[in-house]
Amino acid sequence: MLDDFMVRAALAGLGVALAAAPLGCFVVWRRMAYFGDATAHAAILGVALSLMLSISVFAGALSVALLTAVTVTALSGRGQAVDTLLGVVAHSALAVGLVAVSLVGGRVELSAYLFGDILAVGRGDLAVIWGGAVLVLGLLAWKWSDLLTATMGADLARASGIDPGRIHMGMALALAVVVAVAIKVVGALLIGALLIVPAAAARPLVRTPEAMAAVALVIAVLSVAGGLWGAYHVDAPAGPAIVCAAALVFVLVNLGKLLARK
């Protein structure tokens, strides 16, 4: 069954959706969208290093994404505004990565890393994607209550005996893992959209955090299925098609809410 490239693509998209959708809810609640984009852009430097050193692209992207997440989290609040720090780190790492990729011997298809190449996912990629998804889901399930408390406010977290700094660091590391496993599916430039759009589409439909995470997951899975179906039938790039499908759901949900108010 796994010899069918469309089946592998669907399984890869499902694995990324499982990790990205519930984590994306916290990204939306904690207003960490720019953090996710910065980590994803920096991962291109990891791709370049992995190509230069002939190591796994996942290992290179994960290493740089983790380093970026830890660095930005550690330096936040120490003389630089967070958005300024993220902008410097993200764009500098992206620029260095693009230059480094251009210096790699041989011909490198950079678009596969910028926009994803889900149809080229292999068995090894599936193992990495699902391993990362299980890791992120396990972390969210284990720390769900603490994450919600810290999201409501740092003071409330401290009063409950929770270290908000540690929670933020855990979120940053989880984002780095999602970036690394998703780079083959939707690419570094679109990972942020896959995190945010399903969660944003789910938000108007629910009243509880748990329901939002569940609905975001359903929307993400449907977006993967719809994006792959559309890409197959119109010969479009699969990664951007998945994000387009999620954006379409977001538009329809908000249009429905507007019409319901009239």
Side-chain angles (χ1 to χ4, degrees), residues 163-202:
D163 183 355
R166 183 177 296 178
I167 292 296
H168 186 74
M169 181 65 77
M171 280 284 299
L173 296 179
L175 273 172
V177 173
V178 171
V179 165
V181 300
I183 200 165
K184 192 72 177 283
V185 175
V186 292
L189 297 185
L190 296 175
I191 293 171
L194 197 60
L195 282 164
I196 298 167
V197 178

Side-chain angles (χ1 to χ4, degrees), residues 52-106:
M52 294 175 70
L53 300 174
S54 298
I55 61 175
S56 165
V57 170
F58 168 76
L62 179 61
S63 298
V64 174
L66 288 172
L67 180 61
T68 302
V70 171
T71 300
V72 172
T73 302
L75 294 178
S76 297
R78 298 189 180 183
Q80 289 285 353
V82 176
D83 58 344
T84 301
L85 185 60
L86 286 172
V88 171
V89 171
H91 296 111
S92 299
L94 177 60
V96 172
L98 292 175
V99 171
V101 167
S102 70
L103 298 177
V104 174

